[in-house]
């Protein structure tokens, strides 16, 4: 699974800060909706928020993977935001989050969803990739880092 294939530069942003977890989820939803005809940003936001209500998608170590499954979606898509100023995210380790990788998958894609989440968990457990993502400040650099990591996992 090549995680970089889920992204494109329009769905990647490095930001100084966001005001809240909710605002970060809104931004990720908007980024995802602009890259596909359906669903719209509000539906994506509702899906991500519904998942958060089940429990925080914060992994710890400053990383969160908000995700959801959606009817009418044809393929998985992702968006990435890195922040200079971390946001409180109710992560299990209590640490604020500065790397958010949002994922939406078709409703019926349970196995694909789990495989992608497993790859993301593996990538975000790598201290070197975390450090590199935090140092990168352009869409191209962030995408290149994820592409390189994905290629080394074959």
């Amino acid at each position: 699974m090549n995680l970089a294939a889920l992204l494109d530069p329009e769905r990647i942003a490095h930001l100084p800060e966001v005001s809240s977890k909710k605002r970060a989820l809104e931004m990720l939803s908007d980024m995802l909706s602009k890259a596909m005809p359906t669903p719209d940003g509000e539906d994506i936001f509702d899906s991500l928020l519904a998942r958060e209500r089940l429990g925080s998608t914060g992994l710890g170590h400053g990383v969160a993977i908000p995700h959801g499954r959606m009817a009418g979606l044809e393929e998985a898509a992702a968006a990435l935001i890195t922040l200079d100023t971390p946001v409180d995210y109710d992560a299990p380790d209590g640490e604020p989050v500065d790397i958010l990788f949002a994922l939406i998958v078709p409703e019926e894609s349970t196995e694909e969803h789990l495989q992608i989440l497993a790859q993301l968990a593996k990538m975000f457990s790598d201290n070197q990739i975390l450090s590199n993502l935090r140092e990168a400040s352009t869409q191209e650099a962030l995408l290149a880092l994820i592409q390189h990591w994905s290629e080394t996992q074959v």
Side-chain angles (χ1 to χ4, degrees):
M1 171 70 48
N2 184 337
L3 297 175
L6 300 171
L7 293 164
D8 64 51
E10 294 92 39
R11 295 193 310 260
I12 299 172
H14 174 80
L15 306 170
E17 63 182 302
V18 294
S19 56
S20 66
K21 174 182 178 176
K22 180 181 175 192
R23 182 66 187 128
L25 293 174
E26 288 171 341
M27 293 178 76
L28 289 162
S29 299
D30 288 344
M31 291 165 67
L32 285 163
S33 73
K34 289 177 184 170
M36 54 189 68
T38 59
D40 66 25
E42 190 172 314
D43 290 338
I44 295 169
F45 176 72
D46 290 345
S47 176
L48 296 179
L49 200 57
R51 173 56 189 84
E52 288 299 321
R53 287 187 187 115
L54 298 174
S56 177
T57 57
L59 293 180
H61 306 290
V63 176
I65 306 175
H67 58 277
R69 294 190 308 200
M70 302 197 67
L73 194 64
E74 292 186 19
E75 62 184 9
L80 172 68
I81 293 176
T82 59
L83 303 169
D84 287 336
T85 304
V87 64
D88 182 29
Y89 204 88
D90 302 319
D93 63 359
E95 295 296 317
V97 165
D98 63 346
I99 298 173
L100 297 102
F101 192 105
L103 173 69
I104 56 171
V105 299
E107 191 170 47
E108 64 281 354
S109 296
T110 304
E111 184 63 30
E112 178 186 27
H113 190 182
L114 295 174
Q115 288 175 0
I116 295 169
L117 290 174
Q119 278 295 103
L120 289 168
K122 183 177 178 182
M123 180 175 72
F124 290 129
S125 68
D126 181 330
N127 289 330
Q128 187 61 55
I129 190 76
L130 290 178
S131 177
N132 291 345
L133 288 170
R134 288 183 171 115
E135 291 173 11
S137 61
T138 67
Q139 295 165 317
E140 295 80 13
L142 290 162
L143 184 57
L145 287 167
I146 292 172
Q147 179 69 42
H148 180 263
W149 185 89
S150 292
E151 289 171 354
T152 64
Q153 301 305 302
V154 178

